[in-house]
Amino acid sequence: METAILELYQLGREARDGGRPEEAEACFRRLVELGCRFADVFCALGVIAFERGNFEAARELFLQAIEVNPRYTEAHLNLAVTMNELGEHESAAAAFQRARQASLVDQGVLDPYVRGRLANLHADIGEIYHGLGLHADAESEYGKALGLGPHFPDLRTRLGILYRDMGEYDRAIAEFGRVRRQHPHYAEAALQLGITHFSRGQVDLAVGEWNALLERDPGNPKALMYLKLAERDRL
């Protein structure tokens, strides 16, 4: 069963990252049917529902993600955006404020393909531990993944998110900054760096990161949504 769950989870992530939301949704919903309560799975399903304009379903899914992991900053922000779209402006503002407080918290020679697969497997296991709140185990798995793929920007970004959820903001910022230097066009690291500044109450720094991202990627939907909320909050 554990192997089947991990395979479903990986297939769902690959479909999501590959721009195949229908496949991703099928995998993630099957995980839910199997009784898996992973915060990031609920959040991913919420994003899919949001992108389809099904804001009420998205709201419920983001709430489920937050129920599993109350310190899931990204889910809180997504919930705020969704409530705003539903016209629930006071609730959106409250969710936005809660988002600020959500995050307190040499190898053997291998074939490059095999090395990449192993790195991703370790990262996937780390993400499961992360979703369950087992931060030490998650950090260990992410460390193994980065040992195999030190230049994979998504792996280091995941580690940065873990540090943020652990409340280790300086370490998180260091990881996101390293990704930004090595992979300046990797948007997710810039988004997460902005969220981390925001989590510390440094809204101006967050806005600066998201604006800089929009200069490189003017249509980035997450940056636009986060900026809209942040600018309203500063009025």
Side-chain angles (χ1 to χ4, degrees):
M1 179 63 75
E2 289 183 3
T3 301
I5 287 172
L6 184 58
E7 288 178 352
L8 268 174
Y9 184 83
Q10 184 174 356
L11 287 171
R13 286 189 64 257
E14 289 176 352
R16 179 195 64 190
D17 296 343
R20 304 189 304 278
E22 292 82 6
E23 293 180 33
E25 182 182 26
C27 292
F28 291 148
R29 289 205 176 278
R30 180 58 181 154
L31 285 170
V32 174
E33 290 169 2
L34 290 171
C36 299
R37 291 183 56 77
F38 299 152
D40 62 323
V41 167
F42 286 128
C43 193
L45 286 169
V47 170
I48 292 170
F50 182 93
E51 290 176 346
R52 291 174 176 167
N54 193 347
F55 301 130
E56 292 185 1
R59 175 180 56 192
E60 295 308 310
L61 287 160
F62 293 138
L63 285 170
Q64 289 183 74
I66 292 166
E67 182 181 354
V68 175
N69 181 5
R71 288 161 55 176
Y72 196 167
T73 307
E74 198 165 354
H76 281 284
L77 285 172
N78 289 341
L79 177 63
V81 171
T82 303
M83 288 178 164
N84 191 61
E85 290 293 334
L86 287 166
E88 301 172 1
H89 302 302
E90 291 186 6
S91 296
F96 187 66
Q97 291 302 321
R98 286 194 296 273
R100 282 188 167 181
Q101 304 165 3
S103 294
L104 300 171
V105 256
D106 188 35
Q107 304 289 335
V109 177
L110 292 174
D111 178 270
Y113 174 78
V114 174
R115 181 182 290 273
R117 291 285 291 174
L118 286 173
N120 285 326
L121 285 171
H122 279 300
D124 289 341
I125 295 170
E127 194 157 340
I128 291 172
Y129 280 135
H130 187 175
L132 294 172
L134 301 173
H135 292 159
D137 293 315
E139 184 177 11
S140 175
E141 291 298 328
Y142 287 148
K144 293 174 185 176
L146 284 166
L148 291 162
H151 302 299
F152 291 0
D154 59 323
L155 302 186
R156 196 164 295 283
T157 299
R158 288 198 229 178
L159 179 60
I161 294 170
L162 172 66
Y163 286 148
R164 184 180 67 219
D165 286 351
M166 293 169 65
E168 298 188 18
Y169 297 110
D170 289 339
R171 296 178 75 185
I173 289 170
E175 295 299 335
F176 297 138
R178 181 172 176 178
V179 175
R180 190 174 58 176
R181 289 191 300 274
Q182 295 178 344
H183 305 274
H185 299 295
Y186 186 67
E188 188 64 23
L191 281 170
Q192 296 298 334
L193 181 56
I195 290 172
T196 304
H197 287 312
F198 176 82
S199 298
R200 301 183 88 173
Q202 299 171 327
V203 179
D204 288 342
L205 289 177
V207 167
E209 289 296 336
W210 294 328
N211 274 323
L213 172 58
L214 286 173
E215 290 180 6
R216 301 189 301 272
D217 182 11
N220 189 285
K222 282 189 176 181
L224 289 168
M225 288 189 298
Y226 294 159
L227 271 173
K228 183 178 179 181
L229 284 171
E231 294 292 355
R232 180 182 296 119
D233 184 67
R234 295 198 304 181
L235 293 177

